[in-house]
Amino acid sequence: AQLRQLLESLRAGMQGAPEAEDANRAKELLDGLRGLTQRQQELLDRSFRRLREQEARRRQGAGPQGGRGQQGRQGQGRQGDGEGAGLQKDLRRDLGNLMLGIDEFLGELPRPLGEAEDAMRGAGRALGDGLLDEAVPLQGQAVDALRRATEGVAERMARRLGGLAGMTPGSRGRRPGQGRDPFGRSSGGAYGAAVDGPGDIPDEMEMRRAHD
């Protein structure tokens, strides 16, 4: 919520400025992470449904004797889910692209992103081998890691953008025409574009501070 408020303030008051470009890039990366998390959750739901169907078929095929059921389990266990493995591979590729963008933006990668990538790799292999009972927990781990990564990335972006805008995370953003700029002057619609009254001209020291 703090980051969203900060992004809105930056986009509203600094259109075309580098800070606004950073805000747009941050939103793009966060939206990408949220979308990826949703897709991974959907693939997890798909795998879970297939696992339940597989278990139901095994129970039906077990009959009164266990030998036939064991044979059925072995046969069904080796049926690879090529479609699911392909979808999981696509998600892992998209995560890799997002990780490159996040690393470029922040200069670091939250650890949960690496955990998500590892879980996705394992889930893809398990799906390819038809081992849904292994794939489902790994996909669940990927979803959890992606959610934690999104929170971590949002927190880091809030600190970075807050510093660029002369604001601190948690402070309330102001729309143009409201409040004052970082030097205490009325914004007048754009930071630094207005002074407090007629003849209130900044002295040399204040001009140097503004330049710095």
Side-chain angles (χ1 to χ4, degrees):
Q2 293 174 4
L3 180 59
R4 187 182 305 112
Q5 187 179 59
L6 185 59
L7 291 174
E8 290 175 355
S9 176
L10 286 170
R11 285 197 297 271
M14 301 180 181
Q15 291 295 336
E19 291 88 345
E21 295 177 5
D22 282 340
N24 290 332
R25 180 58 175 159
K27 182 178 185 303
E28 177 184 333
L29 291 170
L30 278 177
D31 287 346
L33 267 179
R34 293 189 182 103
L36 188 70
T37 304
Q38 179 63 32
R39 290 163 57 200
Q40 182 64 75
Q41 180 65 58
E42 292 171 355
L43 185 56
L44 167 60
D45 294 341
R46 175 187 182 275
S47 299
F48 184 70
R49 288 194 301 269
R50 290 175 64 88
L51 177 61
R52 294 188 63 179
E53 293 169 358
Q54 186 182 86
E55 291 174 343
R57 288 194 300 269
R58 288 173 180 171
R59 288 193 296 269
Q60 292 174 358
Q65 297 180 353
R68 180 182 173 187
Q70 180 66 24
Q71 184 178 0
R73 281 194 297 273
Q74 292 176 352
Q76 292 174 2
R78 294 304 177 186
Q79 267 187 335
D81 182 1
E83 181 182 359
L87 292 172
Q88 188 66 76
K89 182 179 179 181
D90 291 342
L91 286 173
R92 185 177 163 224
R93 180 201 60 217
D94 292 345
L95 174 61
N97 293 333
L98 277 172
M99 290 171 72
L100 289 175
I102 292 169
D103 187 38
E104 180 181 0
F105 187 88
L106 294 177
E108 61 176 333
L109 283 174
R111 181 174 296 180
L113 285 173
E115 297 173 4
E117 200 274 339
D118 289 341
M120 286 181 174
R121 181 189 299 112
R125 285 198 298 261
L127 288 169
D129 293 337
L131 302 175
L132 290 170
D133 54 343
E134 295 182 10
V136 167
L138 287 169
Q139 289 176 323
Q141 293 174 23
V143 169
D144 176 69
L146 286 171
R147 287 173 177 163
R148 287 186 285 113
T150 302
E151 294 176 0
V153 168
E155 181 180 351
R156 287 167 172 81
M157 285 180 173
R159 288 200 299 266
R160 171 182 165 82
L161 294 173
L164 289 175
M167 301 163 63
T168 57
S171 63
R172 292 188 175 274
R174 294 184 175 93
R175 298 187 180 279
Q178 296 179 341
R180 297 177 179 271
D181 70 3
F183 297 97
R185 297 170 300 184
S186 300
S187 65
Y191 283 155
V195 291
D196 288 340
D200 188 6
I201 301 174
D203 58 23
E204 183 178 354
M205 181 175 295
E206 184 176 10
M207 291 172 65
R208 187 178 299 115
R209 290 173 60 201
H211 175 78
D212 292 340

